[in-house]
Amino acid sequence: MTTKDWGAIYKEMGAKPVVNATGSVTLLGGSTPVPEVKAAMDAADSAYIPLIELEQVAGDHIAEMLGVPAAYVTSGAGSALTLATAAFMAGTDDDKVQQLPDTTGMPNEILIQKRQRYWYDRCLELAGAKLVEIGDENGTSEEDLRNAINEKTAAVHYVVYEQKPTDPNVLTLEQVIEITHAAGKPVSVDAAGQVYPLENFGKYIKMGADFQCIAAKYMGAPHSTGFALGTKEVIDAISRHSFVGYEGRRIRGIGRPQKIDRQEIMGVVAAVKRWLTLNHEDRLSFAESQSQAILKPLQGIPGVRAELNTNIMGHQPFGAIVALDPDIVGFTNDDLVEKLRDGEPSIWARVSLDAPQIELHVFGMGEGEPELVGNAIAALVKG
């Protein structure tokens, strides 16, 4: 890991490369394309192609592989959320497409349960929509949802984290779909990280949702890629709001800045194909062995709790959980994060938002880096 070539391209410009112990986070670059994806992207260089056509055939291939009606490649899952919101509000009316983000005369409210508010729901507002909370901190009832849906409602949004414990105070997706569709409105699902188990990969459309997003970076595609899944009507509307609609149809939609190139589109197709045929037992076994390599030097150190994260669902399997007793070690979890970041090489980790512990992920680690991280932590806590 600590070869002279590691991060050399950054060092030459005076920038400092880091060891990524945080995972597939945008802050650090998100992903490293796998060889199959790089090969597809290189092959895409051989010719130009109208991107309206490429988006259509690529989406058809992805939809067929996943068994859903339609798909569309976007510049990340966040882009898919924004384009879907535009589609829910303006549909395929070219005049309305060009009117956004001015939503005058359109349904422009996206309903979301209060307890489901999250960091990335901001993407839903970028096309001009207004987020409207239903329920309160104590939960949401079916009656709350029924009463909230009106002529201003563009869609009801739902976020899925299957790897986390079910919140009993939140309406289930099944309840949301039933109530929302009965009122004649669409359901949007953020399932950006739900790529494993494979039965979860696209299942929310099969359950009846009208749209869901996925971040392709989790499958070895470029960090800047994702895709939308949905009904043919929603995906058609998304295409009209997208950058190719802007250029190919000369309709000035809000999606123009969210451009994606032909190489990335083909990379996403290759990533999906690989993911569906990959030996996931081997993938998980490797991630577990990397995680155990972090933990090995941390066992038996006073004041240090170091244990395996046993989750295999979603996009970041396994990992290590580390928590310090400051009365014994002499500093806190937050202090450890800073000490790791200030080290050489710099190791980036972060304290969990859900518990007083550091969650280390191996998603972004290369050869020898898990051992380096474990040894660095051990050296710091031993003083």
Side-chain angles (χ1 to χ4, degrees):
M1 195 304 282
T2 54
T3 65
K4 65 178 181 179
D5 295 330
W6 179 78
I9 193 169
Y10 304 117
K11 294 175 182 176
E12 289 170 2
M13 297 188 298
K16 187 176 183 179
V18 305
V19 174
N20 178 9
T22 308
S24 57
V25 294
T26 292
L27 179 66
L28 298 180
S31 73
T32 300
V34 297
E36 296 92 331
V37 168
K38 289 181 178 179
M41 294 176 70
D42 286 344
D45 284 340
S46 65
Y48 285 85
I49 185 169
L51 291 190
I52 284 183
E53 178 184 353
L54 183 57
E55 279 279 20
Q56 181 65 55
V57 297
D60 288 346
H61 270 70
I62 292 171
E64 182 178 0
M65 285 189 281
L66 294 182
V68 299
Y72 197 86
V73 180
T74 62
S75 59
S79 170
L81 288 173
T82 300
L83 291 171
T85 307
F88 291 138
M89 295 189 296
T92 58
D93 184 320
D94 284 345
D95 289 336
K96 291 181 178 178
V97 169
Q98 298 192 109
Q99 181 181 316
L100 293 179
D102 176 0
T103 61
T104 302
M106 306 178 204
N108 68 346
E109 293 182 352
I110 304 294
L111 305 185
I112 184 170
Q113 297 181 67
K114 172 70 173 179
R115 287 174 66 93
Q116 284 209 317
R117 291 301 303 269
Y118 66 116
W119 187 249
Y120 301 106
D121 62 29
R122 177 70 171 137
C123 298
L124 299 164
E125 299 177 297
L126 297 181
K130 177 184 178 183
L131 281 173
V132 176
E133 296 177 353
I134 51 176
D136 56 30
E137 292 288 358
N138 296 316
T140 306
S141 69
E142 291 188 348
E143 200 62 24
D144 288 333
L145 177 55
R146 289 192 187 95
N147 291 337
I149 298 174
N150 58 45
E151 69 280 358
K152 294 181 181 180
T153 304
V156 178
H157 187 65
Y158 198 93
V159 60
V160 177
Y161 296 109
E162 299 246 12
Q163 58 269 48
K164 292 187 177 182
T166 300
D167 185 343
N169 298 309
V170 166
L171 294 177
T172 66
L173 180 55
E174 291 89 345
Q175 289 173 298
V176 169
I177 290 172
E178 180 181 357
I179 294 169
T180 305
H181 282 180
K185 299 294 183 177
V187 174
S188 161
V189 176
D190 186 341
Q194 300 308 308
V195 296
Y196 189 82
L198 292 183
E199 57 263 29
N200 288 354
F201 192 19
K203 83 171 185 180
Y204 312 102
I205 298 302
K206 298 172 188 176
M207 289 174 62
D210 301 270
F211 157 86
Q212 76 166 86
C213 65
I214 292 176
K217 67 177 181 178
Y218 299 137
M219 297 173 290
H223 174 223
S224 54
T225 60
F227 50 95
L229 303 176
T231 64
K232 289 184 179 294
E233 293 76 15
V234 170
I235 297 301
D236 177 52
I238 283 175
S239 73
R240 294 168 186 256
H241 290 268
S242 74
F243 76 98
V244 296
Y246 194 107
E247 297 297 337
R249 299 178 60 248
R250 307 302 290 173
I251 300 299
R252 302 185 347 145
I254 55 92
R256 176 59 181 86
Q258 298 165 48
K259 184 163 57 176
I260 191 168
D261 59 38
R262 67 191 191 279
Q263 296 89 346
E264 289 176 307
I265 293 171
M266 294 311 300
V268 170
V269 174
V272 174
K273 185 180 300 183
R274 168 185 174 270
W275 194 253
L276 291 173
T277 57
L278 189 65
N279 185 324
H280 287 281
E281 289 186 4
D282 286 350
R283 177 180 67 88
L284 295 173
S285 177
F286 180 63
E288 184 178 10
S289 68
Q290 287 183 300
S291 304
Q292 294 288 7
I294 296 174
L295 293 170
K296 186 177 179 180
L298 301 177
Q299 301 308 304
I301 301 176
V304 177
R305 174 171 64 89
E307 59 191 39
L308 183 69
N309 182 341
T310 58
N311 171 66
I312 62 170
M313 297 182 71
H315 59 283
Q316 294 194 134
F318 293 105
I321 296 171
V322 175
L324 307 184
D325 182 337
D327 292 333
I328 297 175
V329 176
F331 53 86
T332 67
N333 294 325
D334 290 292
D335 293 332
L336 176 58
V337 167
E338 290 301 315
K339 290 175 183 290
L340 289 170
R341 191 171 297 186
D342 292 340
E344 185 59 46
S346 178
I347 298 170
W348 280 52
R350 62 183 177 186
V351 177
S352 170
L353 296 175
D354 301 321
Q357 60 191 27
I358 299 171
E359 295 180 1
L360 303 167
H361 289 287
V362 297
F363 180 97
M365 290 192 188
E367 183 178 357
E369 292 184 347
E371 292 83 357
L372 184 148
V373 170
N375 288 329
I377 295 173
L380 288 169
V381 295
K382 288 178 179 179

